[in-house]
Amino acid sequence: MTFKLKKGEKYIFASDLDGTFLTDFNSSLHIDSYEAVRKIQESKNIFVIATGRSWWWTKTLYEQLESVDASIHFSGAIVHHPNNSKFEEFRSSISQIIIKDMVKKIKIWDFANEVQAVGRKNHAFFSKGDDLNKLFFNCYEYIISFSNKKINPDDLIKKIEDIIGDGYMIRVWNFLAGEDKSQIIISPKGTSKEYALKKLSDFYGVPQKNVIYFGDNVNDLEALEWAGYSFTPKNAKEIAKKAANEVLDLTNDQGAVPKKIIDLLK
């Protein structure tokens, strides 16, 4: 059954960026992206960026698209509305004290290639040999990149949970097929794109059934399953394809998402 919009009803179009709304070439906008957002605005619907990236990285794209609605960052750790001061901004971070305690108890450099700490205005990269205790800000995400040959992702998650407890979201992000690298991404509990979309659904007065979501990876799973209807581009991870209602015929590089939005709004 082909999904169609109902005349006279209001919708939220929410999209992930990397691998979904953006092309792989320099993480750039597909030419049809501008028309898609313009058509959403002309039809009095809402366009929401829902990304794992920070606001300070996304801001340029937001302005290029002349977007005017709320946006989601760090996979739900921040939900804000740069154009509406009445919107109650949501932020949730992990204390640097928690992170430093974990670093102290886990010998990260025995298996990690790189560590990243992402905060509101800071993004710190640590390479092997750096002092991880030099972290000076609370984190929206703490990312450990490692080789699966050195440690099993499930074993690492168990070690982390034994130290910091279950009050955090811990996701495994696998790289391309054939590579042995993975990332563990630690986020505050409840900071999913699904939770963020629920907040925006309430704020805009748009029911769940009228929330349309586009995503391609593990941090999109909850949103793909929760949305009234969801799509993934052809290049999406298999786990995301299984969570979505529909897999598009085109890839992100071919403009799958903006083309679908334009088609839905005809």
Side-chain angles (χ1 to χ4, degrees), residues 15-35:
S15 180
D16 171 54
L17 290 181
D18 294 281
T20 307
F21 200 75
L22 299 180
T23 70
D24 291 336
F25 179 70
N26 290 336
S27 296
S28 58
L29 290 164
H30 188 275
I31 190 63
D32 289 331
S33 301
Y34 301 94
E35 183 182 357

Side-chain angles (χ1 to χ4, degrees), residues 60-78:
T60 301
L61 295 175
Y62 188 92
E63 291 172 346
Q64 285 178 344
L65 290 166
E66 296 185 332
S67 191
V68 295
D69 299 307
S71 59
I72 298 165
H73 303 278
F74 301 118
S75 302
I78 292 181

Side-chain angles (χ1 to χ4, degrees), residues 94 98 101-102 105-106 156-170 186-189:
I94 308 170
I98 298 292
D101 183 55
M102 181 189 72
K105 294 175 180 176
I106 297 180
L156 180 54
I157 289 174
K158 179 66 168 57
K159 285 186 176 184
I160 293 170
E161 287 178 337
D162 286 345
I163 294 169
I164 67 175
D166 61 359
Y168 302 88
M169 296 281 289
I170 303 176
I186 308 170
S187 309
K189 192 76 169 181

Side-chain angles (χ1 to χ4, degrees), residues 214-233:
F214 302 88
D216 77 307
N217 218 317
V218 293
N219 65 337
D220 297 304
L221 296 180
E222 298 94 344
L224 288 166
E225 292 171 347
W226 179 84
Y229 204 86
S230 58
F231 299 88
T232 63

Side-chain angles (χ1 to χ4, degrees), residues 3-264:
F3 175 75
K4 293 183 179 180
L5 305 184
K6 292 183 178 179
K7 191 174 182 180
E9 294 194 15
K10 195 170 187 177
Y11 291 85
I12 291 176
F13 292 83
S15 180
D16 171 54
L17 290 181
D18 294 281
T20 307
F21 200 75
L22 299 180
T23 70
D24 291 336
F25 179 70
N26 290 336
S27 296
S28 58
L29 290 164
H30 188 275
I31 190 63
D32 289 331
S33 301
Y34 301 94
E35 183 182 357
V37 174
R38 180 175 57 80
K39 284 188 175 295
I40 291 171
Q41 293 171 342
E42 288 177 349
S43 60
K44 306 300 182 184
N45 291 298
I46 296 143
F47 176 66
V48 171
I49 290 170
T51 179
R53 290 186 179 267
S54 66
W55 167 244
W56 37 264
W57 188 93
T58 311
K59 186 179 179 183
T60 301
L61 295 175
Y62 188 92
E63 291 172 346
Q64 285 178 344
L65 290 166
E66 296 185 332
S67 191
V68 295
D69 299 307
S71 59
I72 298 165
H73 303 278
F74 301 118
S75 302
I78 292 181
V79 187
H80 79 150
H81 197 318
N83 294 307
N84 190 332
S85 59
K86 294 181 180 179
F87 181 80
E88 187 177 348
E89 186 175 86
F90 171 81
R91 293 181 183 272
S92 182
S93 60
I94 308 170
S95 167
Q96 57 182 287
I97 296 172
I98 298 292
I99 296 295
K100 288 178 179 178
D101 183 55
M102 181 189 72
V103 164
K104 184 178 179 181
K105 294 175 180 176
I106 297 180
K107 296 179 179 178
I108 288 182
W109 292 133
D110 286 350
F111 54 84
N113 302 315
E114 178 187 86
V115 175
Q116 299 178 49
V118 189
R120 181 178 181 181
K121 295 181 179 179
N122 309 96
H123 192 155
F125 286 83
F126 298 88
S127 57
K128 199 155 189 175
D130 285 341
D131 184 359
L132 294 170
N133 282 305
K134 287 186 176 179
L135 183 65
F136 62 91
F137 54 88
N138 295 337
C139 304
Y140 294 120
E141 289 183 335
Y142 195 77
I143 306 166
I144 305 170
S145 303
F146 59 95
S147 168
N148 296 339
K149 292 179 180 178
K150 291 191 174 182
I151 190 168
N152 183 288
D154 292 335
D155 292 340
L156 180 54
I157 289 174
K158 179 66 168 57
K159 285 186 176 184
I160 293 170
E161 287 178 337
D162 286 345
I163 294 169
I164 67 175
D166 61 359
Y168 302 88
M169 296 281 289
I170 303 176
R171 296 183 178 91
V172 179
W173 196 294
N174 294 313
F175 285 79
L176 296 174
E179 294 189 17
D180 71 335
K181 296 178 182 177
S182 293
Q183 286 183 335
I184 291 289
I185 303 176
I186 308 170
S187 309
K189 192 76 169 181
T191 55
S192 67
K193 293 183 182 182
E194 174 197 358
Y195 179 79
L197 285 176
K198 286 178 180 177
K199 291 182 74 68
L200 294 181
S201 174
D202 291 341
F203 175 76
Y204 285 114
V206 174
Q208 178 183 354
K209 68 181 181 67
N210 287 3
V211 177
I212 303 166
Y213 188 76
F214 302 88
D216 77 307
N217 218 317
V218 293
N219 65 337
D220 297 304
L221 296 180
E222 298 94 344
L224 288 166
E225 292 171 347
W226 179 84
Y229 204 86
S230 58
F231 299 88
T232 63
K234 188 178 179 179
N235 56 283
K237 297 286 187 182
E238 286 303 316
I239 193 171
K241 289 179 179 178
K242 290 177 181 178
N245 293 109
E246 187 175 333
V247 179
L248 299 172
D249 294 330
L250 303 176
T251 67
N252 63 319
D253 283 342
Q254 295 170 316
V257 173
K259 287 181 190 298
K260 186 62 183 180
I261 291 172
I262 293 167
D263 183 57
L264 287 170

